[in-house]
Amino acid sequence: MITKGTYRVCFPAGAVFHENPSLMLYRDIMNYIRKLSCFNADKKCRDCPESGFCKYHQVSGGNFDWSPSLLIRSSVFYHQVAGPGEVMDFNFFFIGSGISFLPFIELFFQSHSHLHGIPMILKGFERTSMDETPLSAKGIRILTPVESADISSVLQEMVTCWNDKYQADIGLSLTARNRLENPVRVSMPGFRTGGREIRPKGYAGQVKELELPAFALETGIGKWNFMGGGRLETESDS
């Protein structure tokens, strides 16, 4: 099961975002969870004897050694200056047992009135279950990095991780092996959180036809989808 939480946040007119606001918010929330739950901030997660009990270790996928259970929808394109009465929708995805971290986000908004110095007000929240129906989509374009040109493998590894780590119970039965046509090497800006730097580098391109769960059109695919990697676009989107 995957749950989508949409947070509607208002920013003052003229507010300037020097970074992607979705990633700013995601990074701040992850660091907030780490601050509340980490027992040994001076140790690496993989070496910490308390990792089995640590909420941050659970939500971040062992500090991003594997896919985290909390994602945010992010785009490389964003408004750098807020317009009058600018309200932004921040879409989070809770993977399986990751729904237990929803109260942490609520607590974050209750205790934070600024995003990197920019005033923000939470205006609303909506919670929905994501559609896991299998579908076959044609003309899929992958716009941001995935770790392999073998897209079927990327999908299978992502879902297997979610099922094993977070009891997501997602069914995935692929009848064909799909690869990117003429894949190109792409990268994304670095992202620092939890004391480590993450620099997505991989492949983008097009697949003629792809079997995938419906939710993947929103969550993206691959090991960097938590920060906007593996973004998908269909022919009907363009």
Side-chain angles (χ1 to χ4, degrees), residues 24 68 75 78 87-88 92 109 138 143 155 159 168 171-172 198:
M24 290 165 63
S75 172
Y78 60 92
V87 176
M88 296 184 184
F92 287 86
F109 279 113
K138 296 181 182 295
L143 307 177
L155 270 168
V159 169
L172 183 66
I198 301 165

Side-chain angles (χ1 to χ4, degrees), residues 96-121:
S97 60
I99 191 62
S100 65
F101 292 95
L102 192 150
F104 282 87
I105 299 184
E106 295 173 350
L107 186 59
F108 175 87
F109 279 113
Q110 291 171 9
S111 57
H112 291 73
S113 59
H114 290 75
L115 180 64
H116 289 240
I118 302 172
M120 65 177 181
I121 300 174

Side-chain angles (χ1 to χ4, degrees), residues 7-11 86-88 90 109 120-123:
Y7 296 81
R8 307 205 74 204
V9 180
C10 183
F11 295 98
E86 180 89 32
V87 176
M88 296 184 184
F90 293 95
F109 279 113
M120 65 177 181
I121 300 174
L122 181 63
K123 304 292 288 186

